[in-house]
Amino acid sequence: MILTVTLNTALDITYRVRSLRPHTTHRVSEVTERPGGKGVNVARVLAALGHEVTVTGFAGGSTGRIVQDALTATPGVVDALVPIGGTTRRTIAVVDERTGDTTQLNEPGPAIAPAEWSAFLEAYEDLLAPASAVALCGSLPPGVPVGAYAGLIRTARAAGVPVLLDTSGEPLRRGVAARPDVIKPNADELAELTGSHEPLRATQDARRRGAHAVVASLGPEGLLALTPEGRWRATPPTRVHGNPTGAGDSAAAGLLSGLVDHLPWPDRLTRATALAAATVRARVAGEFDRGTYEELLGRVAVIGEVSAA
C-alpha cells in the first residue's frame, strides 16, 4: 500500500467557458467536480496505474463529505481522512476553450485545531505500518506547524518507509533538512529553496541540504534528477499543449510507482515524464490521458550518467 498525505485537501471544480474575458458574464459549458489537493491527485493516478493507495489528511463540512464520498467510489483508493470542525476548501479552475489557458482560484484551507492535529499524528503512525512508501504533498492549512513535514518525514524514516516530499517555501526548507528520500520541486520552488536559477546547481545544493534524491520538474522541458545512483535528464519527445494543472502530481505518482516497483532511475523518470505529459493532454485538470501515456512511454528521452560511487 502507498500512503499519500494531503493536509490541505480540496474539492476541485473545473468550469469550461468558450472564452474567458474580464468584466463580463460567462456561460459555463461544462462543470466537473472531483477530490483535490496534491496528495489526492497523486493517489488517483497511482490507483489508475494499479496500486493500492490510502489517502489521509483532513476533511470537514459539506465539501469534505463530497470529497470523501468521491474517494470511497474511486477503485483502489482507501479514504482515511481525519474529520475536522472546519470546512474543506474549494479550488476553481476556469478553462478558456478558445486558448486552452486555465485560470486558477484557490481558497485558503480551514484552521486545524491542536486536538485535530494530534488526532492526525496518531492516525499517521498507524497508517505507516503497512505502507511501502509515503508521499507528503501540498500546502499546510492554518494551525499546522510550519515544520510539520519535517516531523512526518522523521516518523516515516523511523518506521523504515521511504518518503517523497512535494511542497514549497518554508515547509520544503525544513522538510529537506529531515532527509526525505525524494523531493520533487518545480523550477521556481527549487530556486526559492537554494537561491539558484540554474537547475543543475540548484539540485546539487538541494541534495547537500539533506534530500537523498532531487527530481526537479522543468515544465515542458521534462525532469532533471540528481540521485546517489547518477544524474539524468528526461524529456518528452514533443511539446504537449493543454492544461498543465496536476502534471507535477502525476510526475510524483510516476516516481512513487517506480520506487515501489523497484525500477532503476531512468525507468522511473520515463514513467513520471510520460504521466506528466499525458496529464497536460487530458480534458479535466489533474487526470491523465492513458492513450498519450502509453504512447509516450517508449518515446521519452532519458540521458545522463551513472555515479561511479
Side-chain angles (χ1 to χ4, degrees), residues 138-152:
S139 60
L140 301 179
V144 172
V146 70
Y149 283 138
L152 298 181

Side-chain angles (χ1 to χ4, degrees), residues 27-197:
R27 187 176 297 277
V28 176
S29 61
E30 181 182 336
V31 180
T32 304
E33 289 186 351
R34 62 170 180 74
K38 293 179 72 65
V40 174
N41 294 339
V42 170
R44 184 167 41 252
V45 174
L46 285 168
L49 293 173
H51 296 281
E52 293 184 359
V53 192
T54 296
V55 173
T56 192
F58 298 108
S62 58
T63 52
R65 287 192 293 273
I66 294 171
V67 166
Q68 291 188 283
D69 288 345
L71 286 175
T72 300
T74 303
V77 174
V78 174
D79 165 30
L81 294 171
V82 175
I84 57 172
T87 298
T88 298
R89 67 189 177 121
R90 297 167 297 178
T91 68
I92 311 296
V94 184
V95 179
D96 185 322
E97 294 181 328
R98 178 177 57 85
T99 65
D101 293 336
T102 300
T103 299
Q104 192 81 15
L105 304 172
N106 294 337
E107 295 180 354
I112 305 302
E116 293 167 341
W117 178 239
S118 296
F120 167 79
L121 292 176
E122 183 176 345
Y124 176 72
E125 288 198 43
D126 291 340
L127 290 168
L128 281 174
S132 56
V134 59
L136 307 175
C137 303
S139 60
L140 301 179
V144 172
V146 70
Y149 283 138
L152 298 181
I153 290 165
R154 294 187 188 100
T155 301
R157 288 176 58 84
V161 179
V163 183
L164 180 145
L165 176 64
D166 187 4
T167 187
S168 60
E170 186 65 12
L172 174 60
R173 189 184 71 80
R174 297 199 186 193
V176 167
R179 304 186 63 80
D181 294 85
V182 184
I183 63 169
K184 195 214 65 62
N186 61 33
D188 291 340
E189 293 162 349
L190 188 61
E192 182 183 10
L193 173 67
T194 64
S196 174
H197 290 272

Side-chain angles (χ1 to χ4, degrees), residues 245-269:
T245 304
D249 303 332
S250 291
L255 294 173
L256 275 171
S257 174
L259 185 155
V260 300
D261 285 346
H262 306 290
L263 297 182
W265 270 104
D267 292 343
R268 298 187 203 183
L269 297 169

